[in-house]
Amino acid sequence: MEMNETIPFIDDLVEDFNKVQEIVLPKEPTTAQNLSVHLTKILILACASYYEQQLQEAYTNYAQRESDRYGDRPHGFDNDKRDKSVYQKFSFGRIEDSGDCRQLPEVKRMLEPLKFFGEKFQDKVYNEINGNEEKERQLKAFQEIFAIRNLIAHQTFVEFTSNRIRGKSFSDIKQMHEDALEFVRYLKTKFS
């Protein structure tokens, strides 16, 4: 995916949200509010799923190259995409208190899922991000989307209301997505 290329299903959600605001809101404010809440939740889930898919592919490609190069899997990492352990090793978006995810962990802890590629790898990424305001903002947006996704996934989707989405509007989530997508692209380069 090119740097400025968009993601069609995200674009479709944005277009649907805009239609709700333009067409439904003036006639049915309560319906528009309900639709907006659900579209916001779907946006979060769609973003997190997309990032996961992109990073899983990068991880497995990395593991395959390392396996081909050195004859063994790095850090016990199985390069078979059917192996569910590939997906369980990377727990981005972990928060301490599921009832209150206002505080994300500090940068070093946000990168803990990378420890499976070794301390040197994790430290290299940390050193490139730490102190770089733009990269830290992108990492935090990535982490926050995953934290919100995890809260939605561990609660009843329908009952997860707008005031529990950390006070973030659809537009805020869309901006977070744009920042998080830059982090995903950055991290993918680390596995190439």
Side-chain angles (χ1 to χ4, degrees), residues 55-56 58-59 62 74-75 77 86 88-93 107-129 139 142-143 183-184 186-191:
L55 292 176
Q56 288 166 2
Y59 299 150
Y62 170 81
H75 309 286
F77 189 89
V86 167
Q88 294 166 354
K89 287 185 183 348
F90 305 98
S91 55
F92 286 106
V107 172
K108 183 80 168 182
R109 286 196 45 233
M110 283 188 211
L111 296 173
E112 274 186 14
L114 301 179
K115 69 183 174 193
F116 293 101
F117 296 100
E119 280 187 42
K120 285 183 183 178
F121 183 87
Q122 182 183 5
D123 289 345
K124 181 179 180 183
V125 172
Y126 171 73
N127 291 334
E128 290 179 11
I129 292 174
L139 171 61
F142 174 83
Q143 278 288 96
F183 175 73
V184 170
Y186 160 76
L187 194 54
K188 284 176 66 175
T189 66
K190 298 294 147 195
F191 290 100

